[in-house]
Amino acid sequence: MPRVAVAGGGIAGLVLALELRRLGAAVTVVERRYPGAGNSTRNVGRVRRMQLTPDLTAFSCAASDTWRELDELMGGRNPLLYPTTYAWVLYDAAEVDHVAPLQPIWDEHGARARIVGAGDVTKALPVLRGGEPVAGAVFGEAAIVHHDAAVHGCYLACMDAGVEFRFGRTAVGIERRSGVMAGLVLDDGTVVAADAVVNAAGGESADLALRCGARAPNRPKRREVLVTEPSQPFMSHAVTFYRPVEGWFNQTLRGELVAGVVDADEEPGYTEASSLRFLGRTARVVLGKAPRLGELKVIRQWAGVYDITPDKRPLVGQYPEVPGLYALNGWSGRGIAFGPLAARLLAREIAGRGRDALLEPFDPQRFSGVDLSSQSETDYYAGYSH
């Protein structure tokens, strides 16, 4: 079995390490801060089944099922996954028309999602009454995971399984001998000997890929979240909307409201600094849709990054330019949901068990020969027309 070095100690890197150890590989995880320090603990933990394309829906349903059995891989530790309903609220007729053809796809893949009319939306979500008129919604099966519990459980399971960790070190490149992968180079000049290296560095993965000689079609973009004071339960759905801009809100088990609205003009780049501009934008847009939320007081906010690819699909597999270097990144906002399944499938591939068909749409080679300089983000839905 191979020796594997994993750059990144988030949920994907940790599950990859666990699965590789289960398959008999020697594994070293390199993390410059602490387990889950990147986006694995800077998200709202949503795991939904329905997506906008057949390939993403198929993977998302399988990924959702994986979360329900992850406690076994974690040695019986509970990731605190709890069920909810994903409410994808639609705000104009054109949006309803765009979503309607997806119903057969969801039915085929077992997404357990359905399109409902405006009356059903306000009945299920009274918090939206008095706000911007809705045109309909998609209600689908989903879950929310407590990311801290999941990351900590995976880390403890890795320790039990004999995974080696190098904390406080940054992966800066790879070492090759006679064209063959030899190891992962760290910022202190040491080399972690490895037959395979996995780039699971999240928002910093594009930079690492370039340092290793691979092409990097992904790029980081900041996403911010706020949290209000807790209150009595008033909603159970996890709400998302994409018009006029992408935003979301839901109530946690502790009664807090988590919410965020994307800045359409956010410049690419890695930053975890939250902003006052975000607070004003989120309040304005969310209260326009759910005025009753104005009674809640914001008590904290934070930021992370989406690691975005041009077609909004992750990068999972061997980089075509660098044999022995594997991508496990480019989540485009689905890292917490997709990471565990993608990691388990990639571990089997690295261990010589073959490549699973679910990973084919995520092959890093799909961008070979593509001019990435002309890529631009437009309407959210247009991003899935590739």
Side-chain angles (χ1 to χ4, degrees):
M1 291 298 293
R3 300 167 300 172
V4 183
V6 182
I11 190 69
L14 294 173
V15 173
L16 175 75
L18 272 176
E19 186 70 7
L20 283 167
R21 285 296 297 145
R22 192 182 70 82
L23 295 171
V27 186
T28 300
V29 175
V30 177
E31 169 56 56
R32 71 180 179 89
R33 293 187 286 183
Y34 52 86
N39 271 9
S40 290
T41 53
R42 293 174 180 270
N43 64 82
V44 292
R46 293 180 173 190
V47 180
R48 68 175 182 180
R49 297 179 71 85
M50 78 280 204
Q51 299 287 337
L52 280 167
T53 64
D55 59 319
L56 287 172
T57 298
F59 195 91
S60 191
C61 290
S64 178
D65 293 339
T66 295
W67 265 108
R68 286 164 173 78
E69 60 189 37
L70 198 63
D71 58 337
E72 182 178 349
L73 184 67
M74 294 164 53
R77 297 175 176 91
N78 189 349
L80 301 183
L81 186 80
Y82 62 94
T84 188
T85 299
Y86 192 89
W88 176 354
V89 184
L90 312 172
Y91 280 95
D92 59 51
E95 198 175 13
V96 174
D97 292 342
H98 191 102
V99 168
L102 299 176
Q103 186 68 65
I105 295 172
W106 297 332
D107 294 341
E108 177 185 354
H109 293 287
R112 297 195 278 275
R114 62 189 178 91
I115 301 170
V116 301
D120 290 327
V121 179
T122 52
K123 182 178 179 180
L125 285 164
V127 71
L128 298 179
R129 291 174 185 167
E132 181 181 346
V134 304
V138 181
F139 285 167
E141 182 180 301
I144 293 179
V145 60
H146 194 295
H147 45 64
D148 291 332
V151 168
H152 189 58
C154 283
Y155 170 64
L156 293 178
C158 281
M159 294 292 289
D160 291 345
V163 174
E164 180 186 359
F165 284 90
R166 302 278 188 92
F167 291 120
R169 296 266 67 94
T170 300
V172 297
I174 56 173
E175 181 175 282
R176 298 172 66 81
R177 296 173 190 157
S178 302
V180 178
M181 181 65 71
L184 180 64
V185 180
L186 307 187
D187 56 347
D188 62 355
T190 60
V191 178
V192 178
D195 307 299
V197 170
V198 181
N199 180 2
E204 298 173 287
S205 59
D207 180 63
L208 179 58
L210 292 172
R211 289 174 177 268
C212 295
R215 201 163 185 235
N218 48 323
R219 56 179 180 168
K221 262 197 173 183
R222 178 173 62 174
R223 293 292 184 263
E224 302 176 72
V225 180
L226 62 79
V227 181
T228 73
E229 61 188 352
S231 63
Q232 291 293 324
F234 59 84
M235 63 179 293
S236 59
H237 292 62
V239 174
T240 292
F241 50 87
Y242 297 108
R243 299 281 173 86
V245 290
E246 181 182 355
W248 62 91
F249 60 89
N250 62 267
Q251 195 173 25
T252 70
L253 290 178
R254 291 192 296 262
E256 302 161 325
L257 186 85
V258 295
V261 172
V262 170
D263 182 357
D265 298 320
E266 183 73 51
E267 291 292 328
Y270 191 100
T271 175
E272 294 175 347
S274 198
S275 64
L276 183 60
R277 180 180 177 183
F278 158 77
L279 182 61
R281 177 177 67 252
T282 299
R284 182 175 63 255
V285 175
V286 170
L287 293 183
K289 299 178 182 299
R292 297 166 64 182
L293 297 179
E295 299 175 6
L296 300 174
K297 296 178 182 178
V298 176
I299 57 175
R300 66 182 185 276
Q301 62 187 75
W302 75 87
V305 295
Y306 277 10
D307 181 24
I308 302 174
T309 63
D311 62 2
K312 297 187 178 180
R313 290 166 174 81
L315 302 167
V316 186
Q318 189 166 217
Y319 287 100
E321 307 90 348
V322 188
L325 178 65
Y326 293 83
L328 185 60
N329 52 59
W331 302 114
S332 303
R334 301 183 185 86
I336 199 73
F338 282 15
L341 175 59
R344 299 194 75 174
L345 297 181
L346 182 62
R348 294 166 197 173
E349 180 178 340
I350 294 171
R353 305 294 181 90
R355 184 167 176 84
D356 194 284
L358 282 172
L359 293 180
E360 287 307 317
F362 308 152
D363 191 336
Q365 191 167 348
R366 71 187 185 272
F367 292 109
S368 296
V370 176
D371 180 12
L372 300 176
S373 63
S374 62
Q375 297 291 336
S376 62
E377 294 185 26
T378 54
D379 180 85
Y380 179 86
Y381 297 102
Y384 292 90
S385 62
H386 301 271

